[in-house]
Amino acid sequence: RQCSSSGLSARDAACLGRMDTPGRTQSCPRGFARLLTTLFTSGAPTTSIADARRASSAGTRASELRRSFSRMLEDSPGAPPGKARAPSVLQSPSASAIEVAVRVTSKAANSLGMGTKLAYSFLRMPLSSLDFTFRPARTAIWVDTLGQSLSSQASLISAVKSVDLLLGFSVGKASDNLRSRYGRRKPFILFLFPVSLLAFLGFVNAASLGLARPGSGGEQPCASLVWNATGANGCPALRACLDAAIAAGRLDTHDRTTPALAPKPRIDAPIVNTAFALLYFVFLACCATGSTIPYDALGMELSTDYHDRSSLFGIKTLFSFAGFAAAPAVGLGLATAYGGDLVALYLVQSFAFAALGMLAYAVLLQCVEERPPPPAAHAAVPFIPSARRVLANHPYRLYLWVRLPLSLFALMPSNLASLWVKHNMALEGWVGIYNYILVWTLLGGMAAIGMLVKAAHRYGKRRVLVRMLLVEGLVYIGVALLPASYFRAHPSALVSIGMLVGIGQVLGFVLPDAMLADIIDYAELHSGTRDEGMYTVIETNLQQFVEIAGGVVPMVALSAAGYAPLGGCTCGCGVSCGRALGQPYARWHCPDNVGYSCTGGFGSALLYAPEPAVAPCAAQGEAVQGLISLFFLAVPGVLALVAAVPASRYPITAPAHAAIRAAVAARAASPGITVYDPLDGSAVVLPPNTPESFVLEHFSRQEWEVYGSADGLRAFLRSRLAAWIALGAGMLALMLYSGVEAVTTLGCLVLSALFVLLPWDAVRLHVISTARFAHAVSQSLSARPSGVEVAE
């Protein structure tokens, strides 16, 4: 009745009636913002929203407004009779605190201009294009062209990402603590992003930069006739030359290859593996870690408005998918000219995307202004206490349980798509179909962005994410049951595959990024500081650890099942036989199967044999094809269902977020007031942030209770460090002496965890030996820092 008399909609009224009821909180941003604005800008004591709307704007004490707000909540139609209310987030008669809180809840006060949103989001476009070029190049360039084994590559990826885990923590912490005239985030992007572009160009074009494996068979006969081979009557001159060369024993016949005649590729595996590890690490360290972590943290702090963030990250995701779309679009255009030579195709494509990256880089640095960081009220929080505070954030822990399976849900289809098209659909000219699927993937994703943002505004991020995960998971599993031969016979059905994967990719960006920004606001309420870099780096590094498993385990499984690059062929299926062997007239060159043709291009008529049902370079065994199908859609579908469970428990809705921002703003205006956590109603007590409290925060309350003294903690840490070292040494010995690459790869997974656990416990052991630790313990041996919950 009150809402109706003040002009609010029936939906707003119903929502407001439920918003303060435990267990029934839902998102009603418009009603909530209008409610606060009406109450906190009124000028007289009010007992209803209608009274507040009619009141004048002068002369009322803030305490009276607060009491009227409480009375209004007690009269809400959805309130259980006699149930006590959670305390108000505002517990001060300070008018300035109320005014600041009102401004925080107003979208207009914190909204970003469209120009800033576009300038910030533009960099996401080349980052996506680089990623969509970099990932398939690992197989097309390094495995198929340079002869690197799949298991060796898996081991190197695992090792490089393990080392990068430590670097990520350093970048995140340094970004949070940096104070410079250029901001906290932009200096990292300024120096590291150009280096990442150089590493990208070197990685993608490794076959053009001296790492290509030339054949040792010398000059091949008839190669000069290919360029003028095709005419109205086919290629009679080339055919005559090939006949003569085969008869003279200078070339293999089409159905029998002789080792003495077949050009023998020279593969220098140590050089190839070393170059791969170096270029992969530099790109990962400077782009995925050194640039992307500060870039994502920059986006988290550009706006504090709940819905403005959804808009910002929606635009960012739109640019991301535009970058994903650019990769297949350029690939489709270049495939007509370079489809049979992926080395040349990647050369042109990589320089185009590097130029786009430099343009976006310049726009970001010039047009996006960082918000000033909050003033440092105390010394910088050390790394371990900072990490413990992050992991003690309950909404953030729920978010990580969502994010980790969601990362694999988005990662695995994109990693396995090229193998699924090439080997499960058994296509020689797989590049065009692969790019065709990617185009529909990105069209589906881009179409879904606007719908997801609007749905999140209307129904809330949690509800939309949960329902989309359930639908996507079930559909993924259903499509995975269809054989790939069905899609080869019905190419139009690939549209559904592409759009399905595209929507799944969007789910991994739009809503989770906006949710993380809200979680960082909640963390600020409890800590008094904003740690976007720390939250971003912990999420990124945990994702990387999961991606090691999600990206490496399928490769190890495929290698164990008998996967052979190019089906055991030397060239074909996108690897030019002209470049690899000096035989531009061969579509493929395999053991006892050579595909001589007039041009060597896809689909050119074979000269000595009928067209096979499957090109030998695209063939794989049934076990390999089954694993590719499993990891392509079936496993991601199950992971989507798993992610929906913790997503359903995400607690920060639009009303809760507005209350969080109001509490933070009120405390900033009046530092002495008491504010309450809108999620559980408890009083918020900031950590003391003294040197002694930092020392105590290196250890959990459970550790203090179990070991009870400095000597007990020291003995515990020494024994655990010894266990980590013994485990690492044993794993290294097993990796060195087993000779099995699968063991090496899985060993790197274990070592990646030890790279974090060893320094974590070593730093804590060092803290025990300091004089400050003794002083802190003398003050309170078993007390934990006030207001801080710590978690292992």
Side-chain angles (χ1 to χ4, degrees):
R1 287 193 300 270
Q2 294 167 4
C3 289
S4 176
S5 65
S6 64
L8 298 183
S9 68
R11 178 178 177 275
D12 288 337
C15 188
L16 291 171
R18 290 191 295 270
M19 74 175 188
D20 199 48
T21 305
R24 300 191 63 188
T25 301
Q26 73 172 36
S27 173
C28 49
R30 295 176 183 171
F32 190 70
R34 290 157 77 177
L35 168 69
L36 290 180
T37 302
T38 300
L39 291 176
F40 289 153
T41 59
S42 304
T46 58
T47 57
S48 70
I49 297 178
D51 291 338
R53 181 63 64 91
R54 291 191 297 266
S56 65
S57 59
T60 300
R61 295 197 308 271
S63 58
E64 293 177 330
L65 289 178
R66 188 182 69 250
R67 286 196 296 271
S68 66
F69 182 41
S70 299
R71 286 196 296 271
M72 188 282 302
L73 285 180
E74 291 171 358
D75 293 336
S76 296
K83 184 171 181 63
R85 294 287 176 179
S88 169
V89 296
L90 302 173
Q91 295 291 321
S92 169
S94 168
S96 61
I98 300 294
E99 291 165 2
V100 172
V102 173
R103 287 198 298 272
V104 170
T105 61
S106 170
K107 180 174 182 177
N110 293 284
S111 61
L112 291 173
M114 182 57 68
T116 301
K117 292 179 181 179
L118 294 174
Y120 168 75
S121 303
F122 183 25
L123 185 62
R124 189 65 252 183
M125 181 177 179
L127 287 174
S128 299
S129 298
L130 296 178
D131 182 61
F132 251 40
T133 305
F134 190 85
R135 287 177 187 268
R138 294 186 309 197
T139 302
I141 299 299
W142 290 88
V143 175
D144 292 345
T145 303
L146 298 177
Q148 187 181 42
S149 72
L150 202 63
S151 54
S152 294
Q153 185 180 108
S155 300
L156 292 172
I157 290 175
S158 180
V160 167
K161 286 196 171 187
S162 300
V163 175
D164 187 60
L165 285 175
L166 286 179
L167 182 61
F169 285 111
S170 302
V171 169
K173 188 62 179 174
S175 176
D176 282 338
N177 293 336
L178 180 65
R179 298 294 185 272
S180 75
R181 59 182 295 187
Y182 303 105
R184 296 192 291 171
R185 319 297 181 186
K186 289 165 67 174
F188 289 88
I189 302 172
L190 172 67
F191 293 107
L192 296 178
F193 186 69
V195 179
S196 73
L197 291 181
L198 294 177
F200 166 78
L201 292 173
F203 185 90
V204 173
N205 298 300
S208 302
L209 299 176
L211 289 179
R213 49 177 197 179
S216 60
E219 182 71 20
Q220 297 298 299
C222 311
S224 60
L225 299 177
V226 171
W227 311 114
N228 298 312
T230 303
N233 299 320
C235 50
L238 176 62
R239 175 67 180 266
C241 180
L242 292 175
D243 289 341
I246 292 172
R250 298 173 58 201
L251 280 179
D252 291 315
T253 62
H254 72 281
D255 57 356
R256 180 176 293 276
T257 55
T258 305
L261 292 178
K264 299 177 177 59
R266 293 194 297 266
I267 302 173
D268 196 335
I271 293 179
V272 168
N273 290 336
T274 301
F276 178 91
L278 178 63
L279 292 170
Y280 194 89
F281 174 76
V282 174
F283 178 76
L284 198 68
C286 294
C287 184
T289 298
S291 298
T292 302
I293 287 176
Y295 173 72
D296 288 342
L298 173 63
M300 301 294 171
E301 62 193 15
L302 284 180
S303 175
T304 58
D305 183 79
Y306 184 84
H307 298 292
D308 208 32
R309 283 172 172 168
S310 295
S311 173
L312 172 64
F313 291 118
I315 294 173
K316 179 183 175 183
T317 304
L318 184 64
F319 271 94
S320 178
F321 272 75
F324 288 145
V330 172
L332 281 173
L334 295 176
T336 57
Y338 303 108
D341 188 356
L342 288 180
V343 173
L345 187 151
Y346 276 110
L347 179 67
V348 177
Q349 184 169 310
S350 62
F351 275 93
F353 292 146
L356 179 66
M358 288 303 298
L359 175 62
Y361 163 83
V363 169
L364 177 76
L365 296 180
Q366 182 66 29
C367 302
V368 177
E369 183 177 355
E370 289 194 40
R371 287 181 178 270
H378 52 78
V381 182
F383 174 79
I384 290 180
S386 180
R388 285 190 176 279
R389 293 180 184 184
V390 170
L391 295 176
N393 187 329
H394 176 66
Y396 184 63
R397 293 201 302 272
L398 278 177
Y399 170 83
L400 290 179
W401 283 114
V402 175
R403 191 63 161 167
L404 297 184
L406 191 58
S407 298
L408 291 176
F409 166 71
L411 169 75
M412 297 179 77
S414 62
N415 277 358
L416 275 296
S418 61
L419 293 179
W420 186 80
V421 172
K422 184 194 298 186
H423 298 305
N424 286 46
M425 293 185 67
L427 296 176
E428 177 191 6
W430 63 274
V431 176
I433 296 296
Y434 171 70
N435 287 323
Y436 174 77
I437 293 177
L438 288 186
V439 168
W440 283 106
T441 294
L442 304 176
L443 289 176
M446 293 171 72
I449 291 172
M451 293 186 289
L452 285 175
V453 172
K454 289 182 179 179
H457 283 182
R458 183 177 179 86
Y459 302 109
K461 299 168 188 172
R462 177 182 62 193
R463 182 184 299 182
V464 174
L465 180 60
V466 170
R467 295 187 178 183
M468 288 300 300
L469 285 173
L470 292 175
V471 171
E472 282 276 297
L474 294 174
V475 175
Y476 267 43
I477 294 172
V479 174
L481 298 177
L482 296 174
S485 57
Y486 171 82
F487 295 98
R488 181 173 181 174
H490 304 85
S492 60
L494 293 172
V495 174
S496 62
I497 289 284
M499 298 191 73
L500 181 68
V501 173
I503 296 172
Q505 295 284 325
V506 166
L507 282 178
F509 291 99
V510 178
L511 300 180
D513 284 351
M515 292 163 72
L516 179 59
D518 299 337
I519 290 169
I520 293 173
D521 287 340
Y522 179 72
E524 183 183 7
L525 173 65
H526 281 270
S527 68
T529 60
R530 294 191 64 83
D531 301 312
E532 290 92 345
M534 198 64 180
Y535 276 86
T536 303
V537 74
I538 289 180
E539 174 202 7
T540 301
N541 280 352
L542 286 176
Q543 281 184 255
Q544 281 200 23
F545 184 78
V546 172
E547 288 176 4
I548 292 174
V552 169
V553 169
M555 289 193 287
V556 173
L558 291 175
S559 180
Y563 176 86
L566 297 178
C569 301
T570 303
C571 58
C573 293
V575 177
S576 169
C577 289
R579 183 182 296 271
L581 303 178
Q583 297 181 358
Y585 39 74
R587 284 169 55 183
W588 59 75
H589 195 290
C590 310
D592 295 333
N593 192 334
V594 183
Y596 293 119
S597 69
C598 289
T599 65
F602 298 141
S604 59
L606 296 176
L607 297 178
Y608 298 102
E611 189 71 24
V614 176
C617 55
Q620 294 289 343
E622 290 185 2
V624 171
Q625 291 180 338
L627 285 174
I628 292 175
S629 293
L630 178 69
F631 289 120
F632 178 49
L633 287 178
V635 171
V638 173
L639 291 170
L641 300 179
V642 171
V645 176
S648 65
R649 301 172 58 194
Y650 178 71
I652 302 180
T653 59
H657 182 260
I660 290 168
R661 293 305 309 162
V664 171
R667 186 175 60 196
S670 299
I673 67 172
T674 299
V675 296
Y676 290 80
D677 186 333
L679 301 185
D680 60 19
S682 62
V684 175
V685 181
L686 293 176
N689 293 320
T690 62
E692 290 74 18
S693 71
F694 291 151
V695 168
L696 295 177
E697 284 188 73
H698 280 78
F699 308 93
S700 70
R701 181 175 179 83
Q702 291 76 18
E703 288 173 334
W704 284 111
E705 291 174 346
V706 171
Y707 301 103
S709 67
D711 290 338
L713 281 172
R714 186 180 292 109
F716 162 69
L717 289 175
R718 284 175 175 172
S719 62
R720 198 158 80 165
L721 274 172
W724 299 147
I725 293 172
L727 178 60
M731 188 58 63
L732 284 174
L734 183 63
M735 292 162 60
L736 291 173
Y737 293 104
S738 69
V740 180
E741 290 184 327
V743 173
T744 302
T745 302
L746 297 177
C748 289
L749 291 177
V750 176
L751 292 178
S752 64
L754 293 179
F755 285 154
V756 176
L757 294 173
L758 276 169
W760 179 276
D761 281 346
V763 169
R764 299 201 301 157
L765 182 61
H766 171 72
V767 166
I768 294 177
S769 63
T770 61
R772 185 167 290 165
F773 177 84
H775 179 62
V777 171
S778 67
Q779 292 185 346
S780 177
L781 179 62
S782 60
R784 63 175 173 177
S786 175
V788 179
E789 291 184 358
V790 291
E792 279 292 316

